[in-house]
Amino acid sequence: VLRALAMAEGPLAPDELAAVAAAYQAGEGRQARLSTGRARTGHGMLDGDLAAGLQEALRERFAVALPRAVDDAAGGRVRIRHELIASALATDLLPDQRRRMHAALATALAVHPAEAARHWLRAYEPARARAAALQAAAAEESAGADADALRHLELAIELAVPAAAALDDAVDHPDVALLRRAAEAALAAGDPGRAAAFAESALAPGIPSGDRVESAAAWDRLGVYRWESGDREAALGAHA
């Protein structure tokens, strides 16, 4: 329980703890479990060992229960009392155990894609981290949180994997649609200079930019970004 809370670096609800335990056990097959009890079901219920461990952590004041929110159907959340305790617990884990714990947390927190992306990244699963980052970006875009959306889009761009082995530079192209999406997010977040940088990257020589209409639209948007950033001369050049 304490190790899961430590690696989560934030509060977890009882059902999330149960899901972490189930995912951790599934990830290690028939090897040692998080406790000596029966297999975790992952259906949102703490088994006897986990429940006892949680109560002991609270009793010994290693963990603290947060006030339960009115709409918190899962029950009150719990977190490690102090970051020094969390750091000591995390350091005590072997490297492979830390990787598996991050993977278990990412699996259990799939409904929170931003958190899942962070844990997949620390579990050395870039493809899964990228997928979660894209989900998080979409959620933030829907909520109008453009700066947060941009942060997740940048992570997804950073984790992009070429469609084929880069034996030829021609196959190692960035995701143009994603670059243009990031440009729009940057503009909405109040950073037109960064928006222009993304747009320029999507229009770099040798990168397919679509048909003539699509390419013209991309150059037009670049002009907008440059104009908004105060670079009037470059903006006019994009519209030329």
Side-chain angles (χ1 to χ4, degrees):
V1 170
L2 285 175
R3 288 176 174 178
L5 289 172
M7 299 299 287
E9 299 178 353
L12 293 175
D15 64 332
E16 292 171 335
L17 274 172
V20 171
Y24 187 92
Q25 179 180 313
E28 63 180 359
R30 298 181 179 275
Q31 298 177 13
R33 297 177 181 173
L34 282 179
S35 72
T36 58
R38 68 180 185 278
R40 275 68 166 145
T41 62
H43 296 318
M45 297 292 291
L46 293 174
D47 68 15
D49 283 348
L50 286 172
L54 178 57
Q55 291 304 311
E56 181 180 4
L58 293 170
R59 185 173 59 252
E60 297 297 329
R61 301 178 66 81
F62 291 120
V64 59
L66 302 180
R68 180 169 181 171
V70 175
D71 59 349
D72 189 0
R77 295 177 175 271
V78 179
R79 64 170 174 82
I80 293 291
R81 178 172 291 275
H82 196 281
E83 63 181 15
L84 291 178
I85 298 175
S87 178
L89 289 165
T91 301
D92 186 56
L93 288 171
L94 295 175
D96 187 56
Q97 291 175 320
R98 285 197 294 270
R99 180 189 60 77
R100 294 203 310 268
M101 184 63 78
H102 280 301
L105 283 160
T107 300
L109 299 175
V111 295
H112 305 291
E115 289 296 304
R118 179 169 61 86
H119 287 294
W120 281 129
L121 192 60
R122 298 182 69 177
Y124 303 98
E125 294 279 359
R128 291 179 173 180
R130 184 175 190 269
L134 288 172
Q135 292 177 1
E140 299 293 2
E141 286 169 331
S142 297
D146 301 299
D148 290 330
L150 177 59
R151 177 167 52 87
H152 296 306
L153 289 171
E154 289 192 353
L155 177 59
I157 292 169
E158 182 179 352
L159 295 174
V161 178
L167 300 176
D168 185 338
D169 290 341
V171 301
D172 192 12
H173 296 313
D175 187 333
V176 171
L178 193 56
L179 290 171
R180 291 173 179 168
R181 182 176 164 190
E184 292 295 334
L187 180 65
D191 193 348
R194 193 152 186 82
F198 278 119
E200 289 166 1
S201 180
L203 288 167
I207 296 178
S209 57
D211 57 27
R212 289 185 177 182
V213 174
E214 187 176 357
S215 179
W219 280 103
D220 180 70
R221 293 304 294 165
L222 176 57
V224 171
Y225 305 144
R226 287 174 172 174
W227 186 272
E228 291 295 326
S229 68
D231 192 347
R232 303 294 196 256
E233 184 177 350
L236 293 175
H239 289 298

